[in-house]
Amino acid sequence: MAIRLNGFRCPLSSLRVLAFLVIAIFMISSIIIYNSTFFEQSPSWSPQALTGRIENVDDYDASCSGYSVGRILREQKRILASVRSELVESQTKIEEIRAVQEELQRLIPQKQLELSALEGEIEAAQRHLEELREIQNVRVFLPYSPLQIKSSGATLLPRSSSLSFDSVIDYSLCSITSFMPVYVEAITNGDMEKEWSVAFRNVAPHLTEESDSACIKIRITNGVLPTESVSNEILFNIGESFGIADDLKSIVVQSSNLRSFDFALQVVRTTEKSEPVPLLPLYRENLIGLVIGSNHKMLDVSSLEESFKKANHNRIIQKCYQEKTECGPEITKRIYASSTFCIILESDDFLDNFMTSLEVGCVPVVLSNTQQLPFQGLIDWRRATYRLPIARLPEAHFIVRSFESSDILEMRRMGRVYYDSYFADRETIARSLLAALRHKLLIPTKETRSSLRNQAKPLFNSTFTPPKGTVVPVQPNYDDEYLLGPLESRVESTSFAYNFSEFQLYSYDTWNTIFSPHRSKEFIINSAEPPAESEFYEDTRSGFRPIEPGSGVEFSKALGGNRQREQFTVVLLTYERDTILAGALERLHQLPYLNKVVVVWNNIHREPPESWPSLHVPVEFVRVTENSLNNRFVPWDRIETEAVLSLDDDIDLFQQEFVLAFRVWRENRDRIVGFPARYHARYGDAMYYNSNHTCQMSMILTGAAFIHKNYLSAYTYQMPAVIREHVDSIKNCEDIAMNFLVSHLTRKPPIKTTSRWNLKCPTCTESLFKEDSHFDKRHECIRMFTKIYGYNPLRFSQFRADSILFKTKVPQNHQKCFKFA
């Protein structure tokens, strides 16, 4: 059956197919129109493109509306496939959008933490601005000139003299802003006088060549009294002691015949420093050594000898009468060196015998309650000597034999420390005398940060900072929800704030703990801490960063503690490892509480690259003249904080570990606080350095340790120079030397934090510890330093410091202080 249309004859079946195709095209067109908004951005589905596709079809059948059915079906399949492809692409885009959404949702807590940190920084900056305004509003006045007070004669003075220290000092020449200018001259012209004159000139902090403007006039004499005396004059007698008239208006320095304000010093015997006598063994050949002067030749010591008969010594008492020719200074020294205690009587030779006993480690037992001791009132001689009235001579054996062995060793140690610190040679005595005068006059030395002895030289011509900086890749310091602390503006530790309180409040520690009273202190290690509630009072809260009640979240927002806020300086020693150094600097970026990085460039034969990582704090490069490990501990003037983080360039620690160690150090400022621990151990008859894992330690490696800046000064100027020379000669052991020094001064062990034991650098091709002789050198250092100090000052410790909530199960609504520490 067929139907004729417009003269053409088509089968009925073809018409049915055509009708089906029309209906299909209508439905597809409807779908296209319905989704036109979705596909309008797709150029392949524009009407023009679609028309173009149809017009380009080759198979045109005029008998069936111009197109073959097969071609139309293929075209529709292609269209359906294209639609399906577009749908797949749309689904992919939807999934990408969902992924972006999920990532944004995941970042919301972190960004909230960042926002909280920024708000904390803004708040901290506002507090800092308020503090600066308060400081700016402080009214400062220059001191007035000292009063000129005439004596009314009503002052109660000692019977021995009509004068006092204040009556022989003209304070108008000694203003606190004068910094005690010193004038030195020799009354007599011998060689000894010239040597002492040179010694005073070498150590005087403020020397002047004008006698009239001097606060103190040092006049060196060899037993000759001047024809007249003037105010502010120090008669430094290097000869035999002379008699002193009550009205002599000079302060006399000699060994005997002294008034209450004169200085007792024995200077005739002093030449050069001697090696310390070993502190151990405890007991010596004699229990007591006794040298009897001519003015005590009638003293009956038979009862003393009788009382010692039952003592456990080969010789109970060794005595010698000084009027005999065989009992000279060498015999006296030999007797004292072989005795545990030395009984010293009042005599013309008292100070000579007293100093000899200190030098050889014999504990002085002074049979007098009135004998004046050197720098009495400043040095606490109770820590090194024992006083008895002469009437108790027969009971002396019972007293000294009751001492604990540890007490005897400590008194012996302190006696030797006092001797080395204040009396060992000419310059040491001269420096100590000027320090004593300065403390009596309450005059600080002329010290500012710009006048410190260690003025660093910039590495890049006239600047410390690199000419070019590279951007550090963004590496957030946030560990999940854990913050480490706010990034506050840089703040320096207040320097020279104790110029006058050091004379009284800190005088004891200055003379008897750190043994360094000679110059005003940039910082004082254990300065007084205010009461805890000071951080909440209007007039004392400046600088405090109190921690709000809570746990880890609140803890991370503020430094807290018992002191005002402070920061630390990283001192980074480097040599021939530029790439490793750059990585070390990058790891310090955004580290909270960091004030500055000082890079000690030990490459003396090579200039550095001009480009280094730019941190959030200054990075300063210091030029040195010698490739020395001692450069690590130079108290550079560029260090403007009390806390110093000594760091090797190959150390890779988490920032939270640095922050934890800094917080621990703030509560233990007089100790070394760090990470890798070591100890000393005895095998056979020798002492060895040991790096194995152990349950007690005695050293912290200073490649990653917090140290107070004052210890850098002590290392450079106070520690025996032979130790620094040995470190230079073997290129090793500077960390052992620092541990010896701090333990010697404090008698405390260092503090270890976190579980870190070894800090090796897998990418480092060169390292001192990889040398075969590394451990042999360190074994020898332990033994050599012990010999230099006369004993091993290292102390053992059996604990480490972690945060309070470390390994503590806390409720879900609380957070630990640190994630891993």
Side-chain angles (χ1 to χ4, degrees):
M1 183 177 180
I3 297 177
R4 187 175 298 272
L5 293 174
N6 295 331
F8 294 96
R9 185 173 178 273
C10 291
L12 184 59
S13 59
S14 299
L15 290 174
R16 291 174 180 172
V17 171
L18 182 61
F20 174 80
L21 290 175
V22 170
I23 293 171
I25 291 173
F26 175 79
M27 293 179 65
I28 292 173
S29 299
S30 300
I31 294 173
I32 293 174
I33 293 172
Y34 180 82
N35 293 288
S36 61
T37 57
F38 180 82
F39 297 109
E40 63 182 358
Q41 295 180 354
S42 177
S44 62
W45 278 97
S46 63
Q48 294 81 2
L50 185 57
T51 304
R53 292 194 192 100
I54 297 175
E55 290 177 352
N56 290 331
V57 177
D58 296 330
D59 299 332
Y60 181 82
D61 186 358
S63 62
C64 296
S65 301
Y67 297 97
S68 71
V69 174
R71 176 60 61 185
I72 292 173
L73 288 174
R74 287 194 297 272
E75 183 67 18
Q76 295 305 316
K77 289 180 180 180
R78 189 189 64 79
I79 293 172
L80 290 174
S82 178
V83 171
R84 190 178 292 109
S85 175
E86 293 288 344
L87 291 175
V88 171
E89 292 179 5
S90 300
Q91 183 65 29
T92 302
K93 290 181 180 180
I94 292 173
E95 292 177 357
E96 291 176 356
I97 292 173
R98 286 176 178 173
V100 172
Q101 181 183 8
E102 291 176 356
E103 178 66 16
L104 291 176
Q105 290 177 343
R106 190 185 67 80
L107 289 176
I108 287 175
Q110 177 175 319
K111 296 303 178 182
Q112 288 175 339
L113 290 175
E114 293 181 8
L115 177 61
S116 177
L118 290 174
E119 290 174 347
E121 292 179 26
I122 294 173
E123 183 181 354
Q126 291 174 343
R127 285 199 302 263
H128 186 48
L129 181 60
E130 293 176 1
E131 293 164 2
L132 292 176
R133 287 172 178 168
E134 292 177 3
I135 296 174
Q136 188 177 9
N137 292 331
V138 175
R139 303 179 66 188
V140 180
F141 301 94
L142 291 175
Y144 296 105
S145 299
L147 294 175
Q148 304 246 0
I149 301 177
K150 295 182 180 180
S151 176
S152 62
T155 305
L156 295 176
L157 299 173
R159 292 182 181 179
S160 59
S161 174
S162 59
L163 300 175
S164 67
F165 183 85
D166 289 341
S167 64
V168 299
I169 291 293
D170 181 0
Y171 282 92
S172 66
L173 297 174
C174 298
S175 168
I176 59 174
T177 58
S178 68
F179 306 113
M180 202 180 83
V182 176
Y183 174 78
V184 181
E185 69 170 345
I187 299 177
T188 52
N189 295 320
D191 293 338
M192 289 285 291
E193 290 89 322
K194 293 179 181 178
E195 292 174 358
W196 277 104
S197 178
V198 170
F200 275 104
R201 289 177 175 274
N202 287 342
V203 302
H206 188 14
L207 191 66
T208 180
E209 299 299 333
E210 298 179 3
S211 174
D212 294 339
S213 63
C215 169
I216 294 296
K217 305 174 183 67
I218 304 290
R219 305 186 70 184
I220 303 169
T221 178
N222 194 347
V224 178
L225 269 171
T227 55
E228 61 179 358
S229 61
V230 295
S231 298
N232 299 37
E233 180 181 68
I234 309 297
L235 288 180
F236 191 81
N237 184 15
I238 62 174
E240 295 296 326
S241 297
F242 48 67
I244 304 174
D246 290 346
D247 58 350
L248 180 66
K249 293 182 179 180
S250 300
I251 298 175
V252 179
V253 179
Q254 62 180 18
S255 60
S256 60
N257 300 325
L258 301 171
R259 298 163 296 180
S260 60
F261 56 88
D262 292 326
F263 288 92
L265 282 176
Q266 177 63 31
V267 299
V268 179
R269 63 189 295 276
T270 306
T271 53
E272 297 180 354
K273 288 185 177 180
S274 60
E275 289 188 3
V277 175
L279 204 61
L280 294 168
L282 170 63
Y283 290 112
R284 299 178 176 178
E285 182 181 3
N286 308 309
L287 179 63
I288 291 179
L290 175 61
V291 175
I292 303 175
S294 57
N295 54 337
H296 292 94
K297 62 182 179 181
M298 300 303 294
L299 181 66
D300 182 14
V301 297
S302 58
S303 59
L304 180 65
E305 292 179 307
E306 183 68 22
S307 63
F308 284 159
K309 283 184 178 179
K310 296 182 180 180
N312 255 341
H313 287 80
N314 296 333
R315 280 207 217 151
I316 309 308
I317 181 169
Q318 176 73 16
K319 61 182 184 293
C320 181
Y321 293 94
Q322 287 182 329
E323 72 270 14
K324 297 181 180 180
T325 57
E326 68 272 11
C327 193
E330 292 301 322
I331 298 297
T332 300
K333 188 172 184 178
R334 190 184 311 153
I335 291 175
Y336 286 174
S338 62
S339 303
T340 305
F341 296 93
C342 293
I343 292 181
I344 305 177
L345 306 167
E346 282 188 291
S347 67
D348 293 338
D349 301 305
F350 172 83
L351 279 184
D352 194 21
N353 294 338
F354 183 78
M355 287 297 165
T356 300
S357 67
L358 296 178
E359 182 183 6
V360 300
C362 182
V363 178
V365 179
V366 179
L367 290 186
S368 171
N369 285 328
T370 58
Q371 173 67 47
Q372 189 171 349
L373 299 179
F375 303 129
Q376 191 168 296
L378 296 171
I379 295 178
D380 185 3
W381 287 112
R382 296 171 301 176
R383 300 184 64 183
T385 68
Y386 198 82
R387 280 185 181 267
L388 286 174
I390 194 169
R392 295 203 179 276
L393 177 60
E395 299 171 312
H397 77 96
F398 182 85
I399 294 173
V400 298
R401 289 172 62 189
S402 69
F403 288 176
E404 284 286 335
S405 59
S406 57
D407 293 341
I408 299 173
L409 292 173
E410 179 61 13
M411 294 174 76
R412 182 182 294 171
R413 185 187 77 88
M414 286 300 301
R416 181 67 201 203
V417 171
Y418 285 144
Y419 179 83
D420 288 338
S421 301
Y422 304 120
F423 313 105
D425 56 20
R426 291 190 183 91
E427 288 196 357
T428 303
I429 290 178
R431 187 183 294 110
S432 302
L433 176 60
L434 294 176
L437 290 168
R438 188 172 68 84
H439 277 243
K440 279 182 171 291
L441 295 170
L442 309 179
I443 299 178
T445 56
K446 189 177 183 179
E447 303 282 354
T448 61
R449 185 161 283 151
S450 60
S451 67
L452 292 175
R453 286 177 282 184
N454 293 101
Q455 297 293 309
K457 295 181 180 180
L459 186 59
F460 303 99
N461 296 323
S462 60
T463 179
F464 289 94
T465 56
K468 300 178 182 178
T470 59
V471 177
V472 178
V474 178
Q475 297 177 351
N477 293 327
Y478 306 101
D479 187 0
D480 295 333
E481 72 276 15
Y482 285 81
L483 291 174
L484 297 179
L487 293 176
E488 295 189 334
S489 57
R490 294 178 59 242
V491 58
E492 303 173 0
S493 298
T494 305
S495 60
F496 301 104
Y498 310 98
N499 284 349
F500 296 99
S501 57
E502 71 163 325
F503 297 130
Q504 296 182 20
L505 180 60
Y506 302 108
S507 177
Y508 184 90
D509 286 342
T510 300
W511 285 86
N512 300 281
T513 301
I514 62 176
F515 315 106
S516 180
H518 312 107
R519 288 179 176 268
S520 296
K521 301 291 181 293
E522 183 181 8
F523 308 113
I524 287 184
I525 296 178
N526 285 323
S527 57
E529 294 180 350
E533 63 270 21
S534 298
E535 60 187 10
F536 305 110
Y537 282 77
E538 187 70 26
D539 56 347
T540 56
R541 69 181 185 181
S542 177
F544 280 100
R545 297 293 183 266
I547 297 176
E548 298 295 329
S551 55
V553 174
E554 293 75 18
F555 174 77
S556 66
K557 294 180 179 179
L559 187 57
N562 303 310
R563 295 176 181 269
Q564 289 89 340
R565 71 160 179 154
E566 60 183 329
Q567 297 172 347
F568 61 89
T569 301
V570 167
V571 175
L572 212 158
L573 189 71
T574 186
Y575 179 77
E576 296 292 356
R577 298 195 293 197
D578 296 2
T579 303
I580 294 173
L581 172 61
L585 292 175
E586 290 180 354
R587 289 190 292 272
L588 296 175
H589 188 48
Q590 302 294 313
L591 174 60
Y593 313 119
L594 178 60
N595 179 271
K596 180 191 295 185
V597 179
V598 175
V599 178
V600 181
W601 186 260
N602 260 7
N603 301 286
I604 59 176
H605 301 299
R606 179 172 66 87
E607 293 297 318
E610 293 186 349
S611 180
W612 292 94
S614 294
L615 308 187
H616 67 295
V617 297
V619 179
E620 298 185 348
F621 284 72
V622 172
R623 183 184 297 276
V624 295
T625 58
E626 183 181 0
N627 177 19
S628 171
L629 292 176
N630 292 318
N631 292 334
R632 178 196 301 277
F633 299 131
V634 174
W636 304 108
D637 64 312
R638 309 303 299 180
I639 302 173
E640 299 169 325
T641 60
E642 294 187 57
V644 176
L645 173 56
S646 174
L647 204 61
D648 281 342
D649 56 9
D650 58 358
I651 298 300
D652 186 5
L653 288 166
F654 293 121
Q655 289 195 356
Q656 66 169 339
E657 293 177 286
F658 289 134
V659 174
L660 169 62
F662 177 54
R663 290 179 180 269
V664 172
W665 176 88
R666 294 187 72 230
E667 300 179 26
N668 301 273
R669 310 170 76 83
D670 59 341
R671 300 162 82 170
I672 300 175
V673 177
F675 303 94
R678 301 293 183 263
Y679 65 105
H680 64 286
R682 189 179 183 90
Y683 297 96
D685 58 352
M687 196 67 70
Y688 289 84
Y689 169 86
N690 202 309
S691 63
N692 295 326
H693 290 79
T694 180
C695 292
Q696 70 174 10
M697 60 90 181
S698 59
M699 290 174 282
I700 290 291
L701 300 187
T702 55
F706 280 92
I707 308 172
H708 197 283
K709 186 182 178 182
N710 283 19
Y711 290 136
L712 306 189
S713 298
Y715 184 98
T716 305
Y717 299 111
Q718 192 173 340
M719 187 179 72
V722 64
I723 295 180
R724 293 190 298 275
E725 294 168 0
H726 184 68
V727 168
D728 281 336
S729 66
I730 66 171
K731 301 288 186 193
N732 206 323
C733 296
E734 85 286 358
D735 49 355
I736 298 178
M738 177 59 83
N739 278 271
F740 263 68
L741 173 65
V742 176
S743 294
H744 171 66
L745 294 176
T746 64
R747 305 305 296 128
K748 297 177 182 179
I751 295 178
K752 172 176 172 51
T753 62
T754 76
S755 60
R756 296 274 189 160
W757 193 263
N758 293 311
L759 298 175
K760 295 182 179 180
C761 175
T763 61
C764 299
T765 58
E766 295 183 3
S767 183
L768 292 177
F769 79 88
K770 293 182 179 180
E771 297 179 2
D772 295 336
S773 60
H774 173 72
F775 283 96
D776 292 335
K777 292 177 179 178
R778 296 174 81 79
H779 298 327
E780 183 56 33
C781 285
I782 294 283
R783 300 161 193 160
M784 179 182 178
F785 297 167
T786 299
K787 182 178 180 181
I788 292 173
Y789 280 97
Y791 75 112
N792 187 335
L794 298 178
R795 306 296 297 270
F796 288 114
S797 177
Q798 299 178 353
F799 74 93
R800 80 175 192 219
D802 294 300
S803 62
I804 292 177
L805 296 180
F806 179 63
K807 289 191 175 181
T808 300
K809 293 182 178 180
V810 297
Q812 291 184 352
N813 60 340
H814 287 71
Q815 179 179 292
K816 292 186 177 182
C817 313
F818 298 93
K819 186 173 184 179
F820 300 112

